[in-house]
Amino acid sequence: MKFIAIGELMLRLSPPNYEKIVSTHNYIVNYGGAEANVAASLAQFGNDAAFVSKVPANAIGDAAVATLRKLGVDCSHIVRGGNRLGIYFLENGASVRPSSVVYDRADSAITKATADEFDFDAIMEGADLFHVSGITPVLSKAAAELTMTALKKAKEHGVTVSFDLNYRAKLWTEDVEGKQKMLSDMMPYVDICFGNARD
């Protein structure tokens, strides 16, 4: 099976040992993202999995891409550029205290990516499944246009499309109706949609 995913590859910083962000002096470094994690999981199960994204051409971007490569993900469709990799801080919950996330992803490389930076005809050629989540298109107008272009190209090539609504309240702080309409407009290109009551 040939699998393609598109999304933001991020740097995750987590305090060790269930410490709180406010009191820690150390962070554990990981790289990933909703769609990248799906690609990595499928690659680990022996599938041909590729990830499409844009990351900065610096050491942080190199480390992020290397993490996916080590997991068997095809990274040949990741373009390099932009000023920064998106970051999120994950404070792991303990006992009755829930986990908490703080995003620092404004103006990340993927939010500036445009469709003409990617050869979607080549990317979709021979693919069986294309996966995206509702996180990516709400990041910026450019990311929404990139997502829509990818969806249309997937359908042109007869690729099955899966879409994880993946609602994130911290990304829906403005223009909620506009974001709802945008995702609704994408649904005609979707074959499999994942969601829950919160989505």
Side-chain angles (χ1 to χ4, degrees), residues 81-147:
N83 295 323
R84 64 187 301 257
L85 197 70
I87 302 170
Y88 72 103
F89 297 82
L90 172 63
E91 184 179 271
N92 286 299
S95 184
V96 297
R97 188 187 85 212
S99 294
S100 176
V101 170
V102 176
Y103 287 123
D104 178 17
R105 65 199 302 179
D107 299 319
S108 64
I110 195 69
T111 68
K112 308 295 184 183
T114 57
D116 60 6
E117 296 180 85
F118 303 89
D119 184 351
F120 280 114
D121 287 313
I123 290 169
M124 298 299 175
E125 184 64 34
D128 298 296
L129 181 68
F130 172 63
H131 179 73
V132 68
S133 88
I135 293 173
T136 303
V138 302
L139 294 176
S140 69
K141 182 179 179 183
E145 292 171 354
L146 175 66
T147 303

Side-chain angles (χ1 to χ4, degrees), residues 3 23-24 65 76 86 110 135-136 148 156 165:
F3 172 85
S23 59
T24 193
V65 173
S76 62
I110 195 69
I135 293 173
T136 303
M148 183 61 94
E156 283 179 23
L165 294 172

Side-chain angles (χ1 to χ4, degrees), residues 2-5 9 39 48-55 65-66 68-70 72-80 117-120 122-125:
K2 184 177 178 182
F3 172 85
I4 310 291
L9 187 53
D48 178 359
F51 189 62
V52 179
S53 192
K54 183 174 183 176
V55 302
V65 173
L68 287 186
R69 281 198 180 116
K70 283 186 279 190
V73 176
D74 174 3
C75 297
S76 62
H77 304 301
I78 296 177
V79 300
R80 306 302 295 271
E117 296 180 85
F118 303 89
D119 184 351
F120 280 114
I123 290 169
M124 298 299 175
E125 184 64 34

Side-chain angles (χ1 to χ4, degrees), residues 177-198:
E177 289 186 1
K179 288 182 170 75
Q180 288 173 330
K181 182 181 186 308
M182 174 184 61
L183 293 190
S184 294
D185 290 344
M186 292 178 177
M187 290 304 107
Y189 303 96
V190 173
D191 301 293
I192 305 164
C193 184
F194 300 93
N196 58 30
R198 186 183 65 170

